[in-house]
Amino acid sequence: SISGAPMFWFSGPLTEKLGADRVLVLSLCSYMLRFLNYAFIRNPFHALPAEAIRGVTFAAFWSTGTVFAHKISPPGMSATMLLFMNAMYGGLGQSVGAILGGKLQSKVGTVNTFLTAALADFVFVCFLTLYLS
């Protein structure tokens, strides 16, 4: 999306200033806001704020995640770590998310699915913040 391009550009300085851990937490908090926005949409134009913060959710996550994966990779294994990150996000994460999200949506409805996703994200952010502190 058009909101992602600037974030890809500014993610390097943002990561240097805040640190990779904080940017990843910021990204997860942005996902939570997007889920809540989608849960309460009453008009198609109400999706615009959620799409506007997509840059923070995906672009900041992806660029900081690649920096973090490179940082923690053993010497000579950077490409393998990036491959692993891509496989976990694009392969396992999106596949399991689509299956579980679809099942949950058919059981509890769209609104409750987004509210559940926001709650799960909130709980994960709380545990992650405790772990990082």
Side-chain angles (χ1 to χ4, degrees):
S1 72
I2 196 162
S3 66
M7 186 51 71
F8 275 117
W9 181 264
F10 291 111
S11 63
L14 184 66
T15 302
E16 288 175 11
K17 183 173 180 155
L18 298 178
D21 296 341
R22 287 188 177 124
V23 174
L24 293 174
V25 169
L26 175 67
S27 177
L28 289 170
C29 289
S30 297
Y31 269 112
M32 185 173 50
L33 290 174
R34 286 182 72 193
F35 293 147
L36 290 172
N37 187 29
Y38 288 135
F40 297 111
I41 283 179
R42 298 293 176 252
N43 180 316
F45 290 111
H46 295 161
L48 294 176
E51 292 305 311
I53 62 172
R54 185 180 186 278
V56 178
T57 54
F58 179 74
F61 163 78
W62 194 255
S63 56
T64 303
T66 57
V67 169
F68 187 73
H70 179 73
K71 186 171 98 174
I72 65 169
S73 65
M77 298 291 290
S78 295
T80 303
M81 283 298 268
L82 293 174
L83 176 90
F84 184 72
M85 185 182 97
N86 191 25
M88 290 297 103
Y89 182 86
L92 183 67
Q94 289 179 345
S95 299
V96 171
I99 292 168
L100 293 179
K103 293 288 185 188
L104 190 60
Q105 185 181 17
S106 69
K107 298 280 186 207
V108 299
T110 303
V111 171
N112 288 329
T113 298
F114 279 117
L115 291 174
T116 302
L119 178 63
D121 194 14
F122 176 75
V123 170
F124 183 71
V125 166
C126 289
F127 282 122
L128 183 61
T129 304
L130 286 173
Y131 174 75
L132 294 174
S133 58

